[in-house]
Amino acid sequence: LITSFTAESLPARFRLWVSGIEVKDCPHVTYRSVPPGRFLAVVGSAGLLEVAVRDGSAARTTGAKLGDKVIVFGSSATTVVERTIERTRVSKKKN
């Protein structure tokens, strides 16, 4: 799930919420920062925040779609920013 959050707009440390899922200890440095099957949030090569499932699909797991809300909570309880999902990519299941 690619969001409209730019790297510059994000707090140094945060947690986020998307489609009923909370992802903590963000941002993650790499996909390998979490065990397989776990959610993570990384800043991708385009400079946008991506929500993913290691070795899986966040879009398929959450059912999230374009325009759904993504909420970022900073370290301060008052730091809350809301954006939307801009793109989804459903990985093909490996046989």
Side-chain angles (χ1 to χ4, degrees):
L1 305 172
I2 301 172
T3 73
S4 56
F5 284 103
T6 61
E8 298 80 27
S9 69
L10 295 166
R13 298 296 300 157
F14 60 92
R15 62 188 172 88
L16 68 82
W17 180 90
V18 59
S19 297
I21 301 296
E22 182 179 31
V23 184
K24 297 180 180 179
D25 303 322
C26 305
H28 298 92
V29 179
T30 66
Y31 280 72
R32 293 184 140 210
S33 299
V34 301
R38 285 289 191 79
F39 280 89
L40 65 138
V42 297
V43 175
S45 59
L48 298 173
L49 181 67
E50 300 179 14
V51 180
V53 172
R54 181 171 171 198
D55 301 330
S57 167
R60 185 177 291 127
T61 303
T62 64
K65 47 196 177 312
L66 296 179
D68 283 359
K69 292 179 186 176
V70 178
I71 303 171
V72 166
F73 301 88
S75 57
S76 165
T78 59
T79 308
V80 177
V81 181
E82 188 175 297
R83 300 275 171 85
T84 58
I85 296 171
E86 298 296 310
R87 289 182 283 178
T88 62
R89 178 178 50 223
V90 178
S91 58
K92 296 186 184 209
K93 191 173 183 178
K94 296 177 184 172
N95 293 332

